[in-house]
Amino acid sequence: MTKSQQVIMYMGVAIMAVTAGLLLRAQLTSNPQSAENGGAETLFAASLPDLQGKNQSISQWRGNVMVINFWATWCEPCRDEIPEFIELQERFRAKGLVFIGIAVDQQERTAAFSKEIGINYPVLVGDMRALDLAGAAGNRQGALPFTVVIDRGGNIIGTKLGRLSHSKLESMIKPLL
């Protein structure tokens, strides 16, 4: 291979790398509002079984301020934030706040943990489909816990991957109530 052929080949590779980087950047910074709105519609279209095995449509809570939390019994940060969710649900239920727990776990383990800790909001149980829902709402990593806050109009106004502090969540939901 001649020197000029090597230069042309390296330039081609460099152009492809820059193009791939620009495409990735565009994908990651594309209009997050439209992605979030599509994510909300995906959530509202979903039905998952509750702790008794009866399918529940997430759309039944539309019109409320919703905090949808994807969690699992084996996830320590998930377990740590649930008591704060219980307290906030109790405090703001009358103002139209609804927490919805979506467990990526087994039904039996989820029911036992929910009873033990005294969860006072709807708990649904999902499998890999629940992770697909979380992904549609913005959880590209597929990690837990993942929390989505939806206003009364059905728009996602915030998401948080990882443990959500009591004060941060309260500051997100109070203006919506």
Side-chain angles (χ1 to χ4, degrees), residues 57-88:
S57 174
I58 294 173
S59 66
Q60 70 183 296
W61 295 291
R62 192 176 207 139
N64 292 292
V65 174
M66 298 168 57
V67 178
I68 301 176
N69 177 248
F70 295 86
W71 66 285
T73 59
W74 45 263
C75 167
E76 199 58 42
C78 302
R79 295 169 67 102
D80 289 345
E81 66 186 359
I82 289 175
E84 295 172 356
F85 295 167
I86 292 169
E87 188 267 325
L88 288 169

Side-chain angles (χ1 to χ4, degrees), residues 16 19 66 73 96 99 116-117 140 144-145 147 165 170 174:
M16 288 185 345
T19 302
M66 298 168 57
T73 59
F99 275 80
E116 171 190 328
I117 199 163
R140 296 191 197 316
L144 297 173
T147 305
S165 74
E170 188 170 357
K174 267 187 157 180

